């Protein structure tokens, strides 16, 4: 696709992409201050993803067209770091005979990983003779229609990757492994004795978009200090996750773990299974977090939290995380739940910033789906002590306030919509409390439906609307307040509504465009073209676009890649 057909990027998008990619990088380990890399270092970069960088996962996001994408080796070359160019050239040459496997080019068809160049011990030692530090990059894709699986090349490292790391750690004293992945993967290899403690640094750099390669170099070079936090709990084994036993059946997946997902499960039942807790992420500097004040005021919990960069070399940002612990009551609760968080500005060494963080007391409610509290299908606050914690991960927190509630409070009354209907389904809840503050697992029968779903749908159907036929009302008229949305919809036949829903779905799926991000005028043009040529050849559509005024042609090129034209004839 030519650059002229990729659309007009939003001004400043690349800059924001780079900033977001930087701030999302999570540093898990940095022994002996291996990072950041310095101008005095010469770095050998291993791993195919240094060139074939995964800027995104699969699915609609992966189909988005961008002007360019910076890979990791380019990011290093754009920095002030010295890299082993001979090694980079070897990878570039190797790739000529080992092209990227796109799985045939279909939707989410490419494999989870690409074969990497083999690193023998001898080859690694040749690189160590001309450089002092090594970076090894592991790459994975996953996403929509391409969930990862518990096997080599996806959740697990391959034998070849482990062999490469072994060769590198035999040759180098300081090795950093970065993970260019779409999701967390197995991390037991970090502590594998065969690597002799040479893996000094590990970071998740994720899939950072078009500026991701520059972002990686920004962080590894110390131009920026890592400030990302884990959005997941990393457990020792995949089997340790509560969903593992009930996931993957082609017909039925049971949510037996109920609300005890991720850190809510591990902190409540199995903290010993955790390698890296939710919210974890270290920096090149250190921070002190002090809660200056904590109070309840007019139904809100209000906190003043002072954060100080206690280091003496690097500026950086810290994320203050606020958790609460609710009384177990009759419903059962996780040991902790995240309720608020805030990130500081970039703080120079010894600089402080006070963050004002607040949240509604009602944010600590629980949903009673079974009627255990006497208030079925309601959000409630059960009576008891609500303990507020402040820190920088779910584990590294201090209690700063206890909010006491003398009696149960019903916050919101709702109605039953969907309910499991399985006589054999049991769901997890906390049992007896143990000495360490965690709970034994207890499984109780799932509640059964009390509402007839078909009747509920029938009773809540929208009122019928008379079909007026075409009155010349456009979405632009609705946008300008000249007509209502009902007036616009009333012009359409049932068949047209069904067809336009199809247009919406396919445009979003094929072009990565969300219709609610477009103006009414833009949507009108899309539908005009799609409906006009619902049974036409691709060439007819292209000719029409070029025949229309310059604005429409530019607009169509901006919001619909030409690759979509082949699909418009489906409508």
């Amino acid at each position: 696709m030519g650059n002229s057909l990729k659309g007009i990027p939003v001004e400043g998008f690349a800059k924001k992409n780079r900033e977001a990619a930087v701030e999302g990088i999570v540093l898990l380990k940095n022994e002996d201050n291996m990072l950041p890399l310095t101008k005095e270092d010469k770095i050998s970069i291993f791993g195919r993803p240094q060139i074939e960088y995964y800027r995104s996962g699969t699915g609609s996001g992966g189909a988005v067209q961008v002007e360019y994408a910076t890979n990791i080796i380019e990011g290093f070359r754009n920095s002030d770091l010295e890299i082993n160019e001979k090694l980079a050239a070897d990878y570039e040459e190797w790739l000529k005979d080992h092209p990227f496997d796109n799985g045939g080019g279909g939707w989410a068809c490419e494999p989870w990983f690409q074969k990497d160049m083999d690193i023998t011990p001898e080859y690694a030692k040749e690189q160590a003779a001309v450089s002092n530090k090594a970076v090894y990059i592991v790459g994975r894709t996953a996403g929509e229609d391409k969930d990862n699986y518990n096997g080599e090349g996806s959740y697990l490292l391959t034998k070849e990757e482990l062999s490469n790391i072994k060769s590198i750690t035999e040759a180098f004293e300081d090795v950093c492994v970065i993970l260019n992945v779409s999701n967390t993967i197995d991390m037991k290899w970090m502590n594998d004795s065969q690597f002799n403690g040479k893996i000094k640094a590990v970071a998740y750099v994720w899939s950072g978009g078009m500026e991701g390669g520059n972002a990686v170099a920004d962080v590894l070079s110390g131009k920026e200090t890592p400030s990302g936090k884990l959005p997941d709990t990393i457990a020792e084994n995949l089997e340790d996750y509560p969903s593992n036993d009930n996931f993957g059946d082609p017909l039925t997946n049971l949510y037996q773990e109920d609300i005890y997902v991720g850190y809510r499960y591990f902190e409540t039942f199995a903290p010993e299974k955790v390698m890296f807790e939710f919210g974890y992420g270290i920096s090149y500097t250190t921070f002190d977090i002090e809660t200056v004040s904590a109070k309840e005021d007019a139904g809100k919990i209000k906190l003043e939290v002072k954060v100080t960069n206690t280091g003496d070399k690097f500026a950086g940002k810290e994320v203050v995380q606020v958790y609460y612990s609710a009384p177990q009551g009759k419903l059962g609760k996780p040991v902790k739940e995240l309720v608020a968080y805030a990130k500081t500005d970039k703080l120079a060494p010894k600089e402080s910033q006070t963050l004002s963080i607040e949240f509604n007391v009602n944010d600590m409610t629980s949903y009673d789906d079974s009627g255990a509290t006497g208030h079925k299908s309601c959000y409630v606050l059960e009576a008891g002590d609500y303990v507020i914690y402040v820190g920088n991960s779910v584990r590294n927190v201090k209690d700063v306030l206890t909010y006491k509630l003398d009696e149960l409070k019903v916050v919101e009354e709702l109605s039953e919509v969907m309910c499991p209907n399985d006589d054999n389904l049991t769901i997890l809840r906390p049992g007896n409390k143990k000495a360490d503050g965690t709970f034994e697992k207890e499984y109780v029968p799932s509640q059964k439906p009390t509402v007839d779903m078909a009747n509920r749908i029938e009773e809540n159907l929208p009122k019928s609307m008379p079909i007026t036929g075409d009155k010349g009302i456009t979405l632009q008229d609705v946008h300008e307040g000249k007509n209502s949305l009902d007036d616009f919809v009333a012009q359409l036949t049932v068949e047209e509504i069904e067809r336009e829903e199809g247009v919406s779905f396919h445009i979003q799926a094929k072009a990565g465009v969300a219709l609610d991000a477009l103006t009414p005028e833009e949507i009108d043009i899309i539908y005009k073209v799609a409906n006009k040529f619902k049974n036409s050849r691709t060439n007819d559509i292209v000719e029409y676009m070029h025949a229309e005024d310059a604005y429409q042609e530019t607009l169509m090129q901006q919001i619909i890649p030409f690759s979509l034209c082949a699909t418009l004839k489906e409508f």
Side-chain angles (χ1 to χ4, degrees):
M1 179 180 291
N3 285 335
S4 64
L5 305 182
K6 290 184 179 177
I8 302 172
V10 176
E11 184 178 354
F13 178 80
K15 180 175 181 290
K16 284 297 182 184
N17 175 196
R18 188 166 178 170
E19 292 173 1
V22 162
E23 296 205 19
I25 290 174
V26 181
L27 183 62
L28 296 183
K29 180 179 181 180
N30 192 26
E31 286 185 2
D32 302 331
N33 295 318
M34 178 192 167
L35 299 177
L37 305 169
T38 70
K39 295 179 182 178
E40 289 71 39
D41 292 320
K42 185 169 182 180
I43 306 110
S44 285
I45 304 172
F46 298 89
R48 180 176 189 144
Q50 64 180 283
I51 298 170
E52 293 179 345
Y53 170 71
Y54 286 110
R55 65 175 173 85
S56 68
T58 60
S60 300
V64 169
Q65 301 295 324
V66 293
E67 284 186 297
Y68 63 88
T70 305
N71 65 28
I72 294 174
I73 199 68
E74 289 170 338
F76 272 91
R77 286 169 176 161
N78 293 336
S79 73
D80 59 2
L81 297 174
E82 182 182 3
I83 65 171
N84 181 352
E85 287 287 1
K86 172 62 169 60
L87 175 59
D90 285 350
Y91 271 96
E92 290 167 344
E93 188 64 27
W94 183 83
L95 285 174
K96 293 178 181 178
D97 296 323
H98 300 82
F100 187 87
D101 178 7
N102 68 359
W107 176 270
C109 285
E110 68 186 66
W112 283 274
F113 79 108
Q114 301 289 318
K115 176 176 173 53
D116 206 351
M117 187 171 81
D118 292 332
I119 307 299
T120 65
E122 295 73 24
Y123 184 78
K125 289 173 183 176
E126 289 176 15
Q127 312 316 312
V130 297
S131 57
N132 66 313
K133 289 184 178 179
V135 173
Y136 183 66
I137 307 168
V138 174
R140 294 287 188 273
T141 192
E144 185 181 3
D145 273 355
K146 196 73 175 184
D147 289 336
N148 62 325
Y149 77 107
N150 188 20
E152 291 186 14
S154 185
Y155 187 69
L156 305 176
L157 295 192
T158 65
K159 293 181 179 65
E160 291 76 12
E161 288 168 333
L162 293 170
S163 176
N164 283 349
I165 296 175
K166 189 172 191 303
S167 295
I168 295 167
T169 53
E170 287 177 353
F172 289 84
E173 291 298 316
D174 295 314
V175 178
C176 170
V177 178
I178 63 175
L179 304 170
N180 172 208
V181 296
S182 299
N183 47 265
T184 57
I185 63 173
D186 176 74
M187 299 299 292
K188 291 192 298 297
W189 51 267
M190 282 181 62
N191 303 318
D192 195 320
S193 61
Q194 68 173 318
F195 303 136
N196 299 311
K198 303 291 185 64
I199 300 176
K200 300 291 182 64
V202 178
Y204 273 90
V205 303
W206 312 108
S207 298
M210 62 191 289
E211 281 285 337
N214 282 327
V216 171
D218 286 346
V219 169
L220 267 61
S221 69
K223 180 180 179 181
E224 300 288 349
T225 299
S227 59
K229 303 293 183 177
L230 279 179
D232 297 293
T233 300
I234 297 179
E236 290 278 352
N237 301 289
L238 188 63
E239 293 76 17
D240 295 329
Y241 292 90
S243 59
N244 182 72
D245 292 341
N246 296 297
F247 178 77
D249 187 279
L251 298 178
T252 304
N253 288 288
L254 302 176
Y255 291 85
Q256 190 177 36
E257 64 273 18
D258 199 46
I259 63 172
Y260 300 96
V261 177
Y263 74 91
R264 296 173 182 82
Y265 168 81
F266 288 105
E267 299 308 306
T268 306
F269 301 107
E272 74 282 358
K273 302 290 188 181
V274 174
M275 286 187 68
F276 295 100
E277 74 267 22
F278 176 83
Y280 178 84
I282 60 177
S283 173
Y284 296 151
T285 188
T286 53
F287 296 93
D288 177 70
I289 298 175
E290 176 190 1
T291 301
V292 177
S293 67
K295 62 182 180 180
E296 184 273 332
D297 180 24
K300 294 181 180 292
I301 302 296
K302 298 184 177 181
L303 307 169
E304 296 289 319
V305 183
K306 181 181 179 182
V307 182
T308 302
N309 181 346
T310 55
D312 54 14
K313 188 174 182 180
F314 297 101
K317 299 182 179 183
E318 178 61 298
V319 179
V320 174
Q321 302 169 38
V322 183
Y323 296 83
Y324 71 91
S325 176
Q328 286 296 308
K330 294 181 179 180
L331 296 174
K333 316 287 194 315
V335 164
K336 290 191 187 79
E337 291 193 71
L338 180 71
V339 69
Y341 59 90
K343 199 168 197 175
T344 67
D345 299 330
K346 184 182 289 186
L347 302 179
K350 311 309 178 187
E351 183 181 3
S352 299
Q353 180 182 2
T354 299
L355 299 173
S356 296
I357 304 174
E358 66 176 48
F359 60 92
N360 293 321
V361 169
N362 289 347
D363 290 341
M364 299 187 289
T365 58
S366 298
Y367 186 68
D368 183 357
D369 57 357
S370 65
T373 67
H375 300 277
K376 188 179 185 308
S377 302
C378 292
Y379 278 100
V380 300
L381 287 167
E382 293 198 79
D385 292 347
Y386 291 77
V387 182
I388 312 303
Y389 301 88
V390 172
N392 62 2
S393 79
V394 70
R395 294 273 176 93
N396 190 29
V397 293
K398 296 178 181 178
D399 58 294
V400 299
L401 177 69
T402 299
Y403 173 75
K404 296 180 179 293
L405 189 64
D406 293 332
E407 59 183 23
L408 180 143
K409 175 185 176 183
V410 177
V411 174
E412 186 176 10
E413 296 182 8
L414 300 170
S415 59
E416 180 183 310
V417 177
M418 298 183 69
C419 180
N421 192 12
D422 187 333
D423 291 332
N424 299 316
L425 176 61
T426 58
I427 56 175
L428 177 63
R429 61 162 289 153
N432 295 325
K433 189 173 185 178
K434 297 188 286 189
D436 62 0
T438 62
F439 290 82
E440 295 178 354
K441 296 179 186 178
E442 179 178 287
Y443 291 90
V444 298
S446 170
Q447 69 277 12
K448 300 301 294 282
T450 61
V451 174
D452 185 288
M453 182 60 65
N455 289 340
R456 186 184 188 282
I457 293 172
E458 186 72 28
E459 292 168 0
N460 288 278
L461 287 174
K463 296 179 180 179
S464 60
M465 179 185 296
I467 297 175
T468 64
D470 188 359
K471 298 292 186 182
I473 300 169
T474 68
L475 284 175
Q476 186 67 28
D477 295 328
V478 175
H479 178 67
E480 294 174 357
K482 297 177 182 177
N483 297 92
S484 69
L485 185 60
D486 284 350
D487 294 335
F488 175 81
V489 174
Q491 303 175 103
L492 307 174
T493 66
V494 173
E495 291 76 16
E496 286 173 330
I497 292 174
E498 290 176 346
R499 185 169 67 239
E500 291 189 4
E501 176 62 27
V503 171
S504 170
F505 174 80
H506 280 272
I507 286 174
Q508 293 186 57
K510 297 293 184 182
V513 175
L515 294 190
D516 57 7
L518 306 178
T519 67
E521 185 177 13
E522 290 168 342
I523 295 174
D524 272 345
I525 292 175
I526 291 173
Y527 284 155
K528 182 180 180 182
V529 173
N531 287 325
K532 181 178 180 66
F533 292 100
K534 61 185 179 183
N535 296 312
S536 300
R537 297 172 295 111
T538 300
N539 287 343
D540 293 337
I541 303 172
V542 175
E543 290 171 6
Y544 172 76
M545 289 167 58
H546 284 285
E548 291 295 301
D549 60 73
Y551 168 73
Q552 179 162 304
E553 179 183 343
T554 302
L555 177 63
M556 292 300 293
Q557 291 178 1
Q558 178 176 344
I559 59 182
I560 308 181
F562 271 20
S563 59
L564 176 62
C565 291
T567 71
L568 291 179
K569 63 178 181 288
E570 299 172 16
F571 304 110

